[in-house]
Amino acid sequence: MKVIDVYQQYFAAKCEFSGVPRRAVSVMLTATSDSGEIRYEVTVSFFPHRDEEDYAVSYDAVQTETVYAAKGRRSKKREAELMKTFRGTADALAEKLGAEIFWEQPLRDARLG
């Protein structure tokens, strides 16, 4: 099984989970390929971000959704299409946790894989 982080970026956010305020979020589009199958997932993971250097992502305030799964392989064209709806999907996942992502406040540059 091959897992590739197609896109990942950190943003300021607002969330409270398990009684702990979360001030940041890691958002990701991940591709997983195995035995001729490809699956893309959007994941949001909220974490405390207590200071400028705190990127210790906790994995309890997480939501994931499979946005594409079929026979085939990785496709840059498909990934570009999935990125068009990425923020809407991430916002819906954040809403399930009662959270908000501040897209206009990136904490780090995007990492593309």
PDB file of all heavy atoms in Angstrom, residues 46-83:
ATOM      1  N   PHE A  46      -7.543  18.995  14.434  1.00  0.00           N
ATOM      2  CA  PHE A  46      -7.400  20.214  15.237  1.00  0.00           C
ATOM      3  C   PHE A  46      -6.470  19.946  16.418  1.00  0.00           C
ATOM      4  O   PHE A  46      -6.537  18.888  17.037  1.00  0.00           O
ATOM      5  CB  PHE A  46      -8.770  20.677  15.728  1.00  0.00           C
ATOM      6  CG  PHE A  46      -9.649  21.147  14.603  1.00  0.00           C
ATOM      7  CD1 PHE A  46     -10.426  20.250  13.894  1.00  0.00           C
ATOM      8  CD2 PHE A  46      -9.659  22.475  14.229  1.00  0.00           C
ATOM      9  CE1 PHE A  46     -11.212  20.666  12.837  1.00  0.00           C
ATOM     10  CE2 PHE A  46     -10.444  22.915  13.169  1.00  0.00           C
ATOM     11  CZ  PHE A  46     -11.217  22.004  12.466  1.00  0.00           C
ATOM     12  N   PHE A  47      -5.607  20.934  16.719  1.00  0.00           N
ATOM     13  CA  PHE A  47      -4.646  20.761  17.810  1.00  0.00           C
ATOM     14  C   PHE A  47      -4.457  22.083  18.553  1.00  0.00           C
ATOM     15  O   PHE A  47      -4.805  23.153  18.044  1.00  0.00           O
ATOM     16  CB  PHE A  47      -3.316  20.205  17.281  1.00  0.00           C
ATOM     17  CG  PHE A  47      -2.616  21.051  16.262  1.00  0.00           C
ATOM     18  CD1 PHE A  47      -1.554  21.858  16.626  1.00  0.00           C
ATOM     19  CD2 PHE A  47      -3.002  21.017  14.925  1.00  0.00           C
ATOM     20  CE1 PHE A  47      -0.896  22.623  15.687  1.00  0.00           C
ATOM     21  CE2 PHE A  47      -2.344  21.781  13.985  1.00  0.00           C
ATOM     22  CZ  PHE A  47      -1.292  22.586  14.356  1.00  0.00           C
ATOM     23  N   PRO A  48      -3.908  22.034  19.790  1.00  0.00           N
ATOM     24  CA  PRO A  48      -3.873  23.218  20.660  1.00  0.00           C
ATOM     25  C   PRO A  48      -3.077  24.415  20.125  1.00  0.00           C
ATOM     26  O   PRO A  48      -3.517  25.552  20.283  1.00  0.00           O
ATOM     27  CB  PRO A  48      -3.246  22.691  21.954  1.00  0.00           C
ATOM     28  CG  PRO A  48      -3.617  21.246  21.969  1.00  0.00           C
ATOM     29  CD  PRO A  48      -3.558  20.815  20.530  1.00  0.00           C
ATOM     30  N   HIS A  49      -1.908  24.226  19.543  1.00  0.00           N
ATOM     31  CA  HIS A  49      -1.066  25.314  19.037  1.00  0.00           C
ATOM     32  C   HIS A  49      -0.947  26.425  20.095  1.00  0.00           C
ATOM     33  O   HIS A  49      -1.407  27.548  19.920  1.00  0.00           O
ATOM     34  CB  HIS A  49      -1.626  25.870  17.729  1.00  0.00           C
ATOM     35  CG  HIS A  49      -0.673  26.761  16.989  1.00  0.00           C
ATOM     36  ND1 HIS A  49       0.559  26.341  16.558  1.00  0.00           N
ATOM     37  CD2 HIS A  49      -0.772  28.054  16.613  1.00  0.00           C
ATOM     38  CE1 HIS A  49       1.170  27.339  15.932  1.00  0.00           C
ATOM     39  NE2 HIS A  49       0.379  28.389  15.959  1.00  0.00           N
ATOM     40  N   ARG A  50      -0.297  26.063  21.194  1.00  0.00           N
ATOM     41  CA  ARG A  50      -0.180  26.977  22.345  1.00  0.00           C
ATOM     42  C   ARG A  50       0.778  28.136  22.119  1.00  0.00           C
ATOM     43  O   ARG A  50       0.700  29.151  22.794  1.00  0.00           O
ATOM     44  CB  ARG A  50       0.226  26.176  23.576  1.00  0.00           C
ATOM     45  CG  ARG A  50      -0.864  25.210  24.010  1.00  0.00           C
ATOM     46  CD  ARG A  50      -0.453  24.387  25.234  1.00  0.00           C
ATOM     47  NE  ARG A  50      -1.533  23.504  25.617  1.00  0.00           N
ATOM     48  CZ  ARG A  50      -1.624  22.236  25.244  1.00  0.00           C
ATOM     49  NH1 ARG A  50      -0.698  21.698  24.475  1.00  0.00           N
ATOM     50  NH2 ARG A  50      -2.640  21.498  25.639  1.00  0.00           N
ATOM     51  N   ASP A  51       1.726  27.981  21.194  1.00  0.00           N
ATOM     52  CA  ASP A  51       2.644  29.075  20.842  1.00  0.00           C
ATOM     53  C   ASP A  51       3.088  28.888  19.397  1.00  0.00           C
ATOM     54  O   ASP A  51       2.724  27.915  18.748  1.00  0.00           O
ATOM     55  CB  ASP A  51       3.839  29.149  21.811  1.00  0.00           C
ATOM     56  CG  ASP A  51       4.675  27.879  21.826  1.00  0.00           C
ATOM     57  OD1 ASP A  51       5.090  27.401  20.733  1.00  0.00           O
ATOM     58  OD2 ASP A  51       4.928  27.345  22.915  1.00  0.00           O
ATOM     59  N   GLU A  52       3.886  29.829  18.904  1.00  0.00           N
ATOM     60  CA  GLU A  52       4.300  29.824  17.496  1.00  0.00           C
ATOM     61  C   GLU A  52       5.046  28.568  17.057  1.00  0.00           C
ATOM     62  O   GLU A  52       5.103  28.257  15.881  1.00  0.00           O
ATOM     63  CB  GLU A  52       5.176  31.048  17.214  1.00  0.00           C
ATOM     64  CG  GLU A  52       4.406  32.354  17.220  1.00  0.00           C
ATOM     65  CD  GLU A  52       3.344  32.409  16.138  1.00  0.00           C
ATOM     66  OE1 GLU A  52       3.623  32.040  14.985  1.00  0.00           O
ATOM     67  OE2 GLU A  52       2.216  32.812  16.465  1.00  0.00           O
ATOM     68  N   GLU A  53       5.635  27.842  17.994  1.00  0.00           N
ATOM     69  CA  GLU A  53       6.409  26.655  17.635  1.00  0.00           C
ATOM     70  C   GLU A  53       5.713  25.343  17.991  1.00  0.00           C
ATOM     71  O   GLU A  53       6.287  24.280  17.815  1.00  0.00           O
ATOM     72  CB  GLU A  53       7.783  26.739  18.298  1.00  0.00           C
ATOM     73  CG  GLU A  53       8.556  27.926  17.768  1.00  0.00           C
ATOM     74  CD  GLU A  53       9.991  27.962  18.239  1.00  0.00           C
ATOM     75  OE1 GLU A  53      10.497  26.932  18.710  1.00  0.00           O
ATOM     76  OE2 GLU A  53      10.597  29.032  18.110  1.00  0.00           O
ATOM     77  N   ASP A  54       4.498  25.435  18.490  1.00  0.00           N
ATOM     78  CA  ASP A  54       3.759  24.240  18.912  1.00  0.00           C
ATOM     79  C   ASP A  54       2.953  23.669  17.749  1.00  0.00           C
ATOM     80  O   ASP A  54       1.868  24.155  17.446  1.00  0.00           O
ATOM     81  CB  ASP A  54       2.838  24.571  20.089  1.00  0.00           C
ATOM     82  CG  ASP A  54       2.030  23.378  20.557  1.00  0.00           C
ATOM     83  OD1 ASP A  54       2.356  22.236  20.168  1.00  0.00           O
ATOM     84  OD2 ASP A  54       1.063  23.579  21.316  1.00  0.00           O
ATOM     85  N   TYR A  55       3.510  22.645  17.111  1.00  0.00           N
ATOM     86  CA  TYR A  55       2.810  21.941  16.036  1.00  0.00           C
ATOM     87  C   TYR A  55       2.603  20.477  16.410  1.00  0.00           C
ATOM     88  O   TYR A  55       2.571  19.601  15.546  1.00  0.00           O
ATOM     89  CB  TYR A  55       3.578  22.069  14.710  1.00  0.00           C
ATOM     90  CG  TYR A  55       3.424  23.445  14.123  1.00  0.00           C
ATOM     91  CD1 TYR A  55       4.294  24.476  14.489  1.00  0.00           C
ATOM     92  CD2 TYR A  55       2.389  23.734  13.257  1.00  0.00           C
ATOM     93  CE1 TYR A  55       4.135  25.747  13.976  1.00  0.00           C
ATOM     94  CE2 TYR A  55       2.227  25.007  12.741  1.00  0.00           C
ATOM     95  CZ  TYR A  55       3.099  26.014  13.103  1.00  0.00           C
ATOM     96  OH  TYR A  55       2.943  27.278  12.605  1.00  0.00           O
ATOM     97  N   ALA A  56       2.447  20.226  17.708  1.00  0.00           N
ATOM     98  CA  ALA A  56       2.207  18.866  18.193  1.00  0.00           C
ATOM     99  C   ALA A  56       0.744  18.520  17.921  1.00  0.00           C
ATOM    100  O   ALA A  56      -0.150  18.874  18.677  1.00  0.00           O
ATOM    101  CB  ALA A  56       2.513  18.776  19.687  1.00  0.00           C
ATOM    102  N   VAL A  57       0.526  17.864  16.815  1.00  0.00           N
ATOM    103  CA  VAL A  57      -0.833  17.527  16.388  1.00  0.00           C
ATOM    104  C   VAL A  57      -1.367  16.403  17.260  1.00  0.00           C
ATOM    105  O   VAL A  57      -0.751  15.353  17.385  1.00  0.00           O
ATOM    106  CB  VAL A  57      -0.865  17.126  14.898  1.00  0.00           C
ATOM    107  CG1 VAL A  57      -2.259  16.695  14.483  1.00  0.00           C
ATOM    108  CG2 VAL A  57      -0.376  18.277  14.033  1.00  0.00           C
ATOM    109  N   SER A  58      -2.506  16.665  17.875  1.00  0.00           N
ATOM    110  CA  SER A  58      -3.182  15.615  18.647  1.00  0.00           C
ATOM    111  C   SER A  58      -4.158  14.929  17.699  1.00  0.00           C
ATOM    112  O   SER A  58      -4.685  15.554  16.795  1.00  0.00           O
ATOM    113  CB  SER A  58      -3.911  16.219  19.841  1.00  0.00           C
ATOM    114  OG  SER A  58      -4.738  17.281  19.419  1.00  0.00           O
ATOM    115  N   TYR A  59      -4.371  13.665  17.912  1.00  0.00           N
ATOM    116  CA  TYR A  59      -5.197  12.923  16.962  1.00  0.00           C
ATOM    117  C   TYR A  59      -6.544  12.528  17.538  1.00  0.00           C
ATOM    118  O   TYR A  59      -7.139  11.535  17.127  1.00  0.00           O
ATOM    119  CB  TYR A  59      -4.425  11.701  16.445  1.00  0.00           C
ATOM    120  CG  TYR A  59      -3.261  12.133  15.592  1.00  0.00           C
ATOM    121  CD1 TYR A  59      -1.989  12.251  16.125  1.00  0.00           C
ATOM    122  CD2 TYR A  59      -3.452  12.482  14.264  1.00  0.00           C
ATOM    123  CE1 TYR A  59      -0.925  12.685  15.341  1.00  0.00           C
ATOM    124  CE2 TYR A  59      -2.406  12.916  13.475  1.00  0.00           C
ATOM    125  CZ  TYR A  59      -1.147  13.013  14.023  1.00  0.00           C
ATOM    126  OH  TYR A  59      -0.097  13.448  13.242  1.00  0.00           O
ATOM    127  N   ASP A  60      -7.060  13.343  18.475  1.00  0.00           N
ATOM    128  CA  ASP A  60      -8.384  13.044  19.013  1.00  0.00           C
ATOM    129  C   ASP A  60      -9.474  13.910  18.385  1.00  0.00           C
ATOM    130  O   ASP A  60     -10.622  13.510  18.337  1.00  0.00           O
ATOM    131  CB  ASP A  60      -8.396  13.169  20.542  1.00  0.00           C
ATOM    132  CG  ASP A  60      -8.017  14.552  21.035  1.00  0.00           C
ATOM    133  OD1 ASP A  60      -7.482  15.351  20.246  1.00  0.00           O
ATOM    134  OD2 ASP A  60      -8.251  14.831  22.219  1.00  0.00           O
ATOM    135  N   ALA A  61      -9.138  15.064  17.870  1.00  0.00           N
ATOM    136  CA  ALA A  61     -10.112  15.955  17.240  1.00  0.00           C
ATOM    137  C   ALA A  61      -9.923  15.882  15.725  1.00  0.00           C
ATOM    138  O   ALA A  61      -9.445  16.814  15.085  1.00  0.00           O
ATOM    139  CB  ALA A  61      -9.937  17.378  17.753  1.00  0.00           C
ATOM    140  N   VAL A  62     -10.284  14.740  15.159  1.00  0.00           N
ATOM    141  CA  VAL A  62     -10.018  14.443  13.748  1.00  0.00           C
ATOM    142  C   VAL A  62     -11.307  13.992  13.054  1.00  0.00           C
ATOM    143  O   VAL A  62     -12.110  13.264  13.634  1.00  0.00           O
ATOM    144  CB  VAL A  62      -8.965  13.313  13.618  1.00  0.00           C
ATOM    145  CG1 VAL A  62      -8.743  12.934  12.171  1.00  0.00           C
ATOM    146  CG2 VAL A  62      -7.668  13.705  14.276  1.00  0.00           C
ATOM    147  N   GLN A  63     -11.450  14.416  11.818  1.00  0.00           N
ATOM    148  CA  GLN A  63     -12.525  13.932  10.957  1.00  0.00           C
ATOM    149  C   GLN A  63     -11.911  13.630   9.589  1.00  0.00           C
ATOM    150  O   GLN A  63     -11.049  14.377   9.111  1.00  0.00           O
ATOM    151  CB  GLN A  63     -13.624  14.979  10.787  1.00  0.00           C
ATOM    152  CG  GLN A  63     -14.499  15.185  11.988  1.00  0.00           C
ATOM    153  CD  GLN A  63     -15.457  14.021  12.192  1.00  0.00           C
ATOM    154  OE1 GLN A  63     -16.095  13.528  11.257  1.00  0.00           O
ATOM    155  NE2 GLN A  63     -15.553  13.575  13.422  1.00  0.00           N
ATOM    156  N   THR A  64     -12.346  12.537   8.972  1.00  0.00           N
ATOM    157  CA  THR A  64     -11.855  12.125   7.656  1.00  0.00           C
ATOM    158  C   THR A  64     -13.028  11.717   6.785  1.00  0.00           C
ATOM    159  O   THR A  64     -13.986  11.115   7.268  1.00  0.00           O
ATOM    160  CB  THR A  64     -10.875  10.937   7.791  1.00  0.00           C
ATOM    161  OG1 THR A  64      -9.776  11.338   8.593  1.00  0.00           O
ATOM    162  CG2 THR A  64     -10.361  10.480   6.443  1.00  0.00           C
ATOM    163  N   GLU A  65     -12.926  12.046   5.503  1.00  0.00           N
ATOM    164  CA  GLU A  65     -13.955  11.634   4.548  1.00  0.00           C
ATOM    165  C   GLU A  65     -13.286  11.174   3.259  1.00  0.00           C
ATOM    166  O   GLU A  65     -12.397  11.847   2.732  1.00  0.00           O
ATOM    167  CB  GLU A  65     -14.892  12.806   4.245  1.00  0.00           C
ATOM    168  CG  GLU A  65     -15.993  12.450   3.272  1.00  0.00           C
ATOM    169  CD  GLU A  65     -16.952  13.595   3.030  1.00  0.00           C
ATOM    170  OE1 GLU A  65     -17.256  14.328   3.983  1.00  0.00           O
ATOM    171  OE2 GLU A  65     -17.395  13.743   1.872  1.00  0.00           O
ATOM    172  N   THR A  66     -13.717  10.022   2.759  1.00  0.00           N
ATOM    173  CA  THR A  66     -13.250   9.548   1.460  1.00  0.00           C
ATOM    174  C   THR A  66     -14.013  10.318   0.392  1.00  0.00           C
ATOM    175  O   THR A  66     -15.244  10.306   0.365  1.00  0.00           O
ATOM    176  CB  THR A  66     -13.489   8.033   1.311  1.00  0.00           C
ATOM    177  OG1 THR A  66     -12.756   7.359   2.339  1.00  0.00           O
ATOM    178  CG2 THR A  66     -13.048   7.530  -0.054  1.00  0.00           C
ATOM    179  N   VAL A  67     -13.271  11.009  -0.482  1.00  0.00           N
ATOM    180  CA  VAL A  67     -13.905  11.833  -1.512  1.00  0.00           C
ATOM    181  C   VAL A  67     -13.842  11.186  -2.896  1.00  0.00           C
ATOM    182  O   VAL A  67     -14.518  11.642  -3.817  1.00  0.00           O
ATOM    183  CB  VAL A  67     -13.304  13.259  -1.545  1.00  0.00           C
ATOM    184  CG1 VAL A  67     -13.679  14.021  -0.284  1.00  0.00           C
ATOM    185  CG2 VAL A  67     -11.803  13.234  -1.739  1.00  0.00           C
ATOM    186  N   TYR A  68     -13.035  10.126  -3.035  1.00  0.00           N
ATOM    187  CA  TYR A  68     -12.962   9.406  -4.301  1.00  0.00           C
ATOM    188  C   TYR A  68     -12.363   8.036  -4.043  1.00  0.00           C
ATOM    189  O   TYR A  68     -11.364   7.914  -3.340  1.00  0.00           O
ATOM    190  CB  TYR A  68     -12.071  10.165  -5.310  1.00  0.00           C
ATOM    191  CG  TYR A  68     -11.980   9.492  -6.653  1.00  0.00           C
ATOM    192  CD1 TYR A  68     -12.914   9.742  -7.640  1.00  0.00           C
ATOM    193  CD2 TYR A  68     -10.958   8.581  -6.925  1.00  0.00           C
ATOM    194  CE1 TYR A  68     -12.833   9.109  -8.882  1.00  0.00           C
ATOM    195  CE2 TYR A  68     -10.874   7.952  -8.152  1.00  0.00           C
ATOM    196  CZ  TYR A  68     -11.818   8.223  -9.127  1.00  0.00           C
ATOM    197  OH  TYR A  68     -11.745   7.590 -10.343  1.00  0.00           O
ATOM    198  N   ALA A  69     -12.964   7.013  -4.625  1.00  0.00           N
ATOM    199  CA  ALA A  69     -12.419   5.651  -4.524  1.00  0.00           C
ATOM    200  C   ALA A  69     -12.852   4.882  -5.772  1.00  0.00           C
ATOM    201  O   ALA A  69     -14.043   4.845  -6.093  1.00  0.00           O
ATOM    202  CB  ALA A  69     -12.918   4.953  -3.268  1.00  0.00           C
ATOM    203  N   ALA A  70     -11.888   4.293  -6.474  1.00  0.00           N
ATOM    204  CA  ALA A  70     -12.191   3.541  -7.694  1.00  0.00           C
ATOM    205  C   ALA A  70     -10.965   2.755  -8.129  1.00  0.00           C
ATOM    206  O   ALA A  70      -9.883   2.924  -7.581  1.00  0.00           O
ATOM    207  CB  ALA A  70     -12.618   4.498  -8.810  1.00  0.00           C
ATOM    208  N   LYS A  71     -11.144   1.923  -9.144  1.00  0.00           N
ATOM    209  CA  LYS A  71     -10.005   1.265  -9.763  1.00  0.00           C
ATOM    210  C   LYS A  71      -9.238   2.338 -10.516  1.00  0.00           C
ATOM    211  O   LYS A  71      -9.809   3.266 -11.050  1.00  0.00           O
ATOM    212  CB  LYS A  71     -10.462   0.175 -10.725  1.00  0.00           C
ATOM    213  CG  LYS A  71     -11.036  -1.037 -10.039  1.00  0.00           C
ATOM    214  CD  LYS A  71     -11.128  -2.182 -11.016  1.00  0.00           C
ATOM    215  CE  LYS A  71     -11.622  -3.435 -10.317  1.00  0.00           C
ATOM    216  NZ  LYS A  71     -10.654  -3.967  -9.373  1.00  0.00           N
ATOM    217  N   GLY A  72      -7.934   2.207 -10.525  1.00  0.00           N
ATOM    218  CA  GLY A  72      -7.129   3.170 -11.264  1.00  0.00           C
ATOM    219  C   GLY A  72      -5.874   3.524 -10.505  1.00  0.00           C
ATOM    220  O   GLY A  72      -5.445   2.816  -9.596  1.00  0.00           O
ATOM    221  N   ARG A  73      -5.284   4.650 -10.898  1.00  0.00           N
ATOM    222  CA  ARG A  73      -4.051   5.101 -10.274  1.00  0.00           C
ATOM    223  C   ARG A  73      -4.124   6.602 -10.047  1.00  0.00           C
ATOM    224  O   ARG A  73      -5.084   7.252 -10.443  1.00  0.00           O
ATOM    225  CB  ARG A  73      -2.852   4.719 -11.125  1.00  0.00           C
ATOM    226  CG  ARG A  73      -2.914   5.237 -12.531  1.00  0.00           C
ATOM    227  CD  ARG A  73      -1.829   4.620 -13.385  1.00  0.00           C
ATOM    228  NE  ARG A  73      -2.040   5.004 -14.763  1.00  0.00           N
ATOM    229  CZ  ARG A  73      -1.131   5.564 -15.509  1.00  0.00           C
ATOM    230  NH1 ARG A  73       0.071   5.797 -15.030  1.00  0.00           N
ATOM    231  NH2 ARG A  73      -1.390   5.893 -16.748  1.00  0.00           N
ATOM    232  N   ARG A  74      -3.083   7.123  -9.445  1.00  0.00           N
ATOM    233  CA  ARG A  74      -3.026   8.543  -9.118  1.00  0.00           C
ATOM    234  C   ARG A  74      -3.083   9.381 -10.395  1.00  0.00           C
ATOM    235  O   ARG A  74      -2.460   9.051 -11.395  1.00  0.00           O
ATOM    236  CB  ARG A  74      -1.732   8.819  -8.352  1.00  0.00           C
ATOM    237  CG  ARG A  74      -1.649  10.210  -7.833  1.00  0.00           C
ATOM    238  CD  ARG A  74      -0.462  10.403  -6.921  1.00  0.00           C
ATOM    239  NE  ARG A  74      -0.408  11.791  -6.519  1.00  0.00           N
ATOM    240  CZ  ARG A  74       0.669  12.403  -6.122  1.00  0.00           C
ATOM    241  NH1 ARG A  74       1.810  11.743  -6.047  1.00  0.00           N
ATOM    242  NH2 ARG A  74       0.625  13.661  -5.773  1.00  0.00           N
ATOM    243  N   SER A  75      -3.847  10.478 -10.314  1.00  0.00           N
ATOM    244  CA  SER A  75      -4.017  11.345 -11.476  1.00  0.00           C
ATOM    245  C   SER A  75      -3.923  12.804 -11.038  1.00  0.00           C
ATOM    246  O   SER A  75      -4.687  13.252 -10.180  1.00  0.00           O
ATOM    247  CB  SER A  75      -5.390  11.082 -12.113  1.00  0.00           C
ATOM    248  OG  SER A  75      -5.786  12.150 -12.933  1.00  0.00           O
ATOM    249  N   LYS A  76      -2.991  13.536 -11.636  1.00  0.00           N
ATOM    250  CA  LYS A  76      -2.845  14.974 -11.323  1.00  0.00           C
ATOM    251  C   LYS A  76      -4.115  15.740 -11.705  1.00  0.00           C
ATOM    252  O   LYS A  76      -4.511  16.670 -11.021  1.00  0.00           O
ATOM    253  CB  LYS A  76      -1.638  15.570 -12.060  1.00  0.00           C
ATOM    254  CG  LYS A  76      -0.322  14.997 -11.609  1.00  0.00           C
ATOM    255  CD  LYS A  76       0.052  15.468 -10.228  1.00  0.00           C
ATOM    256  CE  LYS A  76       1.443  14.993  -9.869  1.00  0.00           C
ATOM    257  NZ  LYS A  76       1.852  15.368  -8.549  1.00  0.00           N
ATOM    258  N   LYS A  77      -4.752  15.332 -12.790  1.00  0.00           N
ATOM    259  CA  LYS A  77      -5.982  15.994 -13.225  1.00  0.00           C
ATOM    260  C   LYS A  77      -7.090  15.782 -12.180  1.00  0.00           C
ATOM    261  O   LYS A  77      -7.795  16.713 -11.805  1.00  0.00           O
ATOM    262  CB  LYS A  77      -6.416  15.443 -14.586  1.00  0.00           C
ATOM    263  CG  LYS A  77      -7.635  16.103 -15.154  1.00  0.00           C
ATOM    264  CD  LYS A  77      -7.962  15.549 -16.536  1.00  0.00           C
ATOM    265  CE  LYS A  77      -9.227  16.175 -17.076  1.00  0.00           C
ATOM    266  NZ  LYS A  77      -9.575  15.641 -18.395  1.00  0.00           N
ATOM    267  N   ARG A  78      -7.242  14.556 -11.708  1.00  0.00           N
ATOM    268  CA  ARG A  78      -8.243  14.251 -10.681  1.00  0.00           C
ATOM    269  C   ARG A  78      -7.940  15.031  -9.398  1.00  0.00           C
ATOM    270  O   ARG A  78      -8.834  15.574  -8.753  1.00  0.00           O
ATOM    271  CB  ARG A  78      -8.278  12.754 -10.390  1.00  0.00           C
ATOM    272  CG  ARG A  78      -9.331  12.372  -9.363  1.00  0.00           C
ATOM    273  CD  ARG A  78      -9.376  10.880  -9.099  1.00  0.00           C
ATOM    274  NE  ARG A  78      -9.487  10.101 -10.319  1.00  0.00           N
ATOM    275  CZ  ARG A  78      -8.567   9.226 -10.755  1.00  0.00           C
ATOM    276  NH1 ARG A  78      -7.467   9.011 -10.066  1.00  0.00           N
ATOM    277  NH2 ARG A  78      -8.745   8.563 -11.869  1.00  0.00           N
ATOM    278  N   GLU A  79      -6.666  15.086  -9.029  1.00  0.00           N
ATOM    279  CA  GLU A  79      -6.275  15.809  -7.817  1.00  0.00           C
ATOM    280  C   GLU A  79      -6.608  17.294  -7.934  1.00  0.00           C
ATOM    281  O   GLU A  79      -7.080  17.909  -6.975  1.00  0.00           O
ATOM    282  CB  GLU A  79      -4.792  15.599  -7.524  1.00  0.00           C
ATOM    283  CG  GLU A  79      -4.512  14.184  -7.069  1.00  0.00           C
ATOM    284  CD  GLU A  79      -3.038  13.836  -6.996  1.00  0.00           C
ATOM    285  OE1 GLU A  79      -2.176  14.733  -7.192  1.00  0.00           O
ATOM    286  OE2 GLU A  79      -2.740  12.657  -6.721  1.00  0.00           O
ATOM    287  N   ALA A  80      -6.411  17.868  -9.110  1.00  0.00           N
ATOM    288  CA  ALA A  80      -6.771  19.277  -9.326  1.00  0.00           C
ATOM    289  C   ALA A  80      -8.273  19.474  -9.153  1.00  0.00           C
ATOM    290  O   ALA A  80      -8.714  20.461  -8.551  1.00  0.00           O
ATOM    291  CB  ALA A  80      -6.322  19.738 -10.713  1.00  0.00           C
ATOM    292  N   GLU A  81      -9.072  18.529  -9.645  1.00  0.00           N
ATOM    293  CA  GLU A  81     -10.524  18.604  -9.479  1.00  0.00           C
ATOM    294  C   GLU A  81     -10.921  18.473  -7.999  1.00  0.00           C
ATOM    295  O   GLU A  81     -11.790  19.183  -7.522  1.00  0.00           O
ATOM    296  CB  GLU A  81     -11.228  17.529 -10.312  1.00  0.00           C
ATOM    297  CG  GLU A  81     -11.190  17.785 -11.798  1.00  0.00           C
ATOM    298  CD  GLU A  81     -11.881  19.086 -12.192  1.00  0.00           C
ATOM    299  OE1 GLU A  81     -13.012  19.327 -11.727  1.00  0.00           O
ATOM    300  OE2 GLU A  81     -11.275  19.860 -12.954  1.00  0.00           O
ATOM    301  N   LEU A  82     -10.274  17.556  -7.292  1.00  0.00           N
ATOM    302  CA  LEU A  82     -10.578  17.375  -5.864  1.00  0.00           C
ATOM    303  C   LEU A  82     -10.198  18.606  -5.051  1.00  0.00           C
ATOM    304  O   LEU A  82     -10.879  18.942  -4.086  1.00  0.00           O
ATOM    305  CB  LEU A  82      -9.864  16.132  -5.327  1.00  0.00           C
ATOM    306  CG  LEU A  82     -10.369  14.796  -5.858  1.00  0.00           C
ATOM    307  CD1 LEU A  82      -9.459  13.662  -5.418  1.00  0.00           C
ATOM    308  CD2 LEU A  82     -11.798  14.542  -5.428  1.00  0.00           C
ATOM    309  N   MET A  83      -9.138  19.298  -5.444  1.00  0.00           N
ATOM    310  CA  MET A  83      -8.725  20.503  -4.722  1.00  0.00           C
ATOM    311  C   MET A  83      -9.739  21.631  -4.885  1.00  0.00           C
ATOM    312  O   MET A  83      -9.843  22.499  -4.024  1.00  0.00           O
ATOM    313  CB  MET A  83      -7.334  20.960  -5.160  1.00  0.00           C
ATOM    314  CG  MET A  83      -6.209  20.081  -4.649  1.00  0.00           C
ATOM    315  SD  MET A  83      -6.173  19.888  -2.830  1.00  0.00           S
ATOM    316  CE  MET A  83      -5.865  21.574  -2.311  1.00  0.00           C
TER     317      MET A  83
END
